[in-house]
Amino acid sequence: MMKRIMVFLIGLFFVSMVISANDGSSNNGTGINPPSWAIGTWEDKFFSTTHVVTHDNVRVITASDTIDFKEISKSQGTPVSALVDKDVYSLTISITYFGTRQSVSYVYTRLSDTTMKWTWTISGMEVGAGTLIKQ
């Protein structure tokens, strides 16, 4: 369990470094278009994260950092790819980190009107997963 938390925190640090690296390019359009069932504020008490899903953005907030898909897209100049299925919403963005291209994905799966599962992968490796409760 401790290993899982450490991998999550290391992954969060990795993505937060990408957010702070602005290459000066601009991309105002994103592919962030969550379904209505995903919109809202969601909490994962185990990982102490809050996922805020709006009609045009997804932010994952911890005590120390915020992963903001819209901001990453803007600062990196890369679009967000989003897929919507009946009960699954996924976001993927390709980012450059220390000269290496990485793929960051979040997948949200609706379990009920008030719960959903989330999974976070970086270049295909799962670094976080849990259950979110709608607030």
Side-chain angles (χ1 to χ4, degrees):
M1 189 60 65
M2 186 59 119
K3 181 179 177 183
R4 188 175 187 183
I5 292 171
M6 288 302 297
V7 168
F8 176 77
L9 293 174
I10 290 167
L12 188 59
F13 173 76
F14 165 78
V15 173
S16 70
M17 294 300 294
V18 170
I19 292 169
S20 64
N22 187 335
D23 64 1
S25 62
S26 175
N27 181 6
N28 293 327
T30 66
I32 305 171
N33 58 347
S36 60
W37 59 261
I39 294 175
T41 301
W42 303 80
E43 286 190 10
D44 182 332
K45 299 216 185 272
F46 181 78
F47 283 111
S48 299
T49 63
T50 300
H51 298 238
V52 179
V53 182
T54 63
H55 73 282
D56 67 346
N57 199 11
V58 173
R59 292 181 301 135
V60 181
I61 303 163
T62 68
S64 59
D65 287 307
T66 298
I67 299 168
D68 185 316
F69 271 85
K70 197 173 190 178
E71 183 58 35
I72 292 170
S73 177
K74 187 176 178 181
S75 69
Q76 291 279 314
T78 58
V80 175
S81 165
L83 298 172
V84 180
D85 195 0
K86 181 181 178 208
D87 291 321
V88 179
Y89 176 59
S90 65
L91 297 152
T92 302
I93 189 166
S94 181
I95 57 174
T96 300
Y97 181 69
F98 289 116
T100 303
R101 204 77 167 147
Q102 302 286 332
S103 175
V104 176
S105 299
Y106 273 85
V107 177
Y108 296 97
T109 305
R110 177 170 52 174
L111 303 175
S112 72
D113 289 342
T114 58
T115 59
M116 65 180 169
K117 177 184 174 190
W118 66 277
T119 305
W120 177 25
T121 61
I122 297 176
S123 294
M125 184 176 83
E126 184 177 302
V127 292
T131 302
L132 295 167
I133 307 296
K134 194 165 192 176
Q135 301 304 298

